[in-house]
Amino acid sequence: MKRLTILVLVIAAVYSGYWFLGTQTVKDAALNGIASAQQDGWQIDYSDLSMVGFPSRFDTTVTDVSVSPPDGLWSWQAPFLQVFALSYQPNNVIVAFPPTQSLRVGDETLQITAKELRASAGVYANTDLSLKAVTVEAGSSAVASGLGWIVKWDRALLALRDTPGAERSYDFYIDADQIGLPNGFAARIDAEDQLTDTIAGITVDGRVVLDQQLDRHAIEPLAEVIELTSFVLDWGQISVSAKGEVQIDSAGIPEGRITFKTVQWPILIDLAERSGLIDPGIVPTVTNLANAMAGDGGTLEVPISFQSGFMSLGPLPLGPAPRVR
């Protein structure tokens, strides 16, 4: 019994030493990362950085934190930021954000309030710390601008993971419910009240290929390919689904095809005209073509093609293609 007690004490001492060594290693890595970013011109300020969690976790809390990039185009401030990791699996973390935070973009300041805003992320155990997966979830939230507008949602989820067997390729998933738009937003593009100031739901499932791997060396990655496996939007009187793929050149011009499917296509044509997406002069032609292409039950399945900087509805040109970047 005495030997067993001694063995337990030795194991406890060794593990305690491991935890304290691991804690110091994680803390040093965080401080070195902050110092390196500051040397690169980032403005990072905080009042305290502490770690707890013995014996099974490394829990880091940064208080009164503010971050701004070298160009100063934006800045983020929060009363605290917490990062949790299991001591035996430090390459997987959970990040907890405070209920309130602020983001300045240019001259505009956004006040963000969110319930249970959390992110989980995992990286591979290699020297580059290549991204394995990241998930961001939020409950009832709101983003209020100093310019007077506000956007709300009941629930939102964003997930990204590396595509198995493919380099620089990532599967993504977006899901959000009851998205409250700024007051009067729908009315500005829809004088007939066919839309509402609340989007009932939006779901996006797809894949993106970037110009670089997402790892600790990545700097401003840009999309080269965007593939929509599924896109579903329910907004007011319209419900639209889509799928397709586009490739994006260095100038941000898409090339490819996205096929849309909807029953409420007359409403969409009207909205496209009001928003300036299609020229009023070709609206009758677009309407006649859509009516001829609509299948049983009035469902229209139509491809929007992007080619040589222009987009078209089947053989009918619609105008210049929007730049993605």
Side-chain angles (χ1 to χ4, degrees):
M1 186 66 180
K2 182 178 180 181
R3 292 180 179 179
L4 179 60
T5 301
I6 293 174
L7 178 61
V8 171
L9 291 175
V10 169
I11 293 175
V14 170
Y15 186 83
S16 297
Y18 159 76
W19 185 87
F20 284 107
L21 177 61
T23 297
Q24 192 60 48
T25 300
V26 172
K27 187 173 184 178
D28 288 345
L31 293 175
N32 290 337
I34 292 173
S36 177
Q38 289 172 332
Q39 290 178 357
D40 291 336
W42 285 77
Q43 184 69 37
I44 303 176
D45 298 306
Y46 59 93
S47 62
D48 184 55
L49 190 154
S50 60
M51 296 194 66
V52 296
F54 182 83
S56 61
R57 301 204 314 255
F58 297 139
D59 295 350
T60 306
T61 299
V62 185
T63 55
D64 300 323
V65 58
S66 64
V67 179
S68 181
D71 56 21
L73 293 180
W74 59 269
S75 64
W76 172 76
Q77 293 181 318
F80 68 84
L81 182 69
Q82 295 179 306
V83 182
F84 309 112
L86 294 173
S87 58
Y88 55 84
Q89 201 174 26
N91 60 321
N92 291 284
V93 301
I94 295 176
V95 181
F97 293 86
T100 60
Q101 51 195 299
S102 64
L103 175 67
R104 178 190 58 79
V105 181
D107 296 328
E108 186 173 8
T109 299
L110 306 176
Q111 298 296 329
I112 303 170
T113 58
K115 291 184 178 179
E116 300 179 348
L117 176 56
R118 294 178 179 268
S120 60
V123 298
Y124 289 103
N126 54 34
T127 56
D128 293 329
L129 300 179
S130 305
L131 179 69
K132 180 189 296 184
V134 60
T135 301
V136 181
E137 298 180 82
S140 179
S141 307
V143 178
S145 168
L147 300 180
W149 58 264
I150 184 171
V151 173
K152 302 179 180 180
W153 60 86
D154 283 356
R155 182 191 61 85
L157 169 68
L158 168 63
L160 183 73
R161 67 172 185 178
D162 70 322
T163 306
E167 293 185 359
R168 300 181 288 108
S169 178
Y170 299 89
D171 301 325
F172 62 86
Y173 180 78
I174 302 170
D175 187 19
D177 295 332
Q178 298 300 314
I179 306 167
L181 303 175
N183 289 335
F185 176 84
R188 287 196 292 271
I189 60 175
D190 174 30
E192 303 299 326
D193 293 329
Q194 298 160 112
L195 301 179
T196 64
D197 282 336
T198 299
I199 297 176
I202 182 170
T203 303
V204 186
D205 193 1
R207 181 177 68 95
V208 59
V209 178
L210 304 176
D211 63 346
Q212 56 188 292
Q213 197 79 11
L214 291 180
D215 55 29
R216 66 187 183 90
H217 305 294
I219 301 176
E220 296 184 0
L222 299 174
E224 293 182 336
V225 178
I226 299 177
E227 177 186 353
L228 283 181
T229 304
S230 174
F231 170 88
V232 179
L233 171 68
D234 290 313
W235 184 9
Q237 297 182 31
I238 67 172
S239 179
V240 180
S241 62
K243 61 181 179 179
E245 180 179 317
V246 294
Q247 298 183 0
I248 304 166
D249 65 15
S250 59
I253 299 176
E255 189 92 3
R257 174 181 294 184
I258 298 178
T259 300
F260 291 86
K261 186 176 181 180
T262 182
V263 175
Q264 298 86 13
W265 54 266
I267 298 177
L268 292 178
I269 292 176
D270 179 59
L271 295 176
E273 177 189 3
R274 294 179 183 277
S275 63
L277 188 61
I278 60 176
D279 189 279
I282 66 171
V283 169
T285 304
V286 173
T287 301
N288 292 334
L289 178 61
N291 190 52
M293 296 174 62
D296 295 338
T299 300
L300 176 65
E301 187 170 342
V302 59
I304 303 294
S305 298
F306 302 88
Q307 186 175 12
S308 302
F310 292 88
M311 58 183 180
S312 60
L313 173 67
L316 185 66
L318 296 179
R323 291 179 180 267
V324 178
R325 59 174 88 130

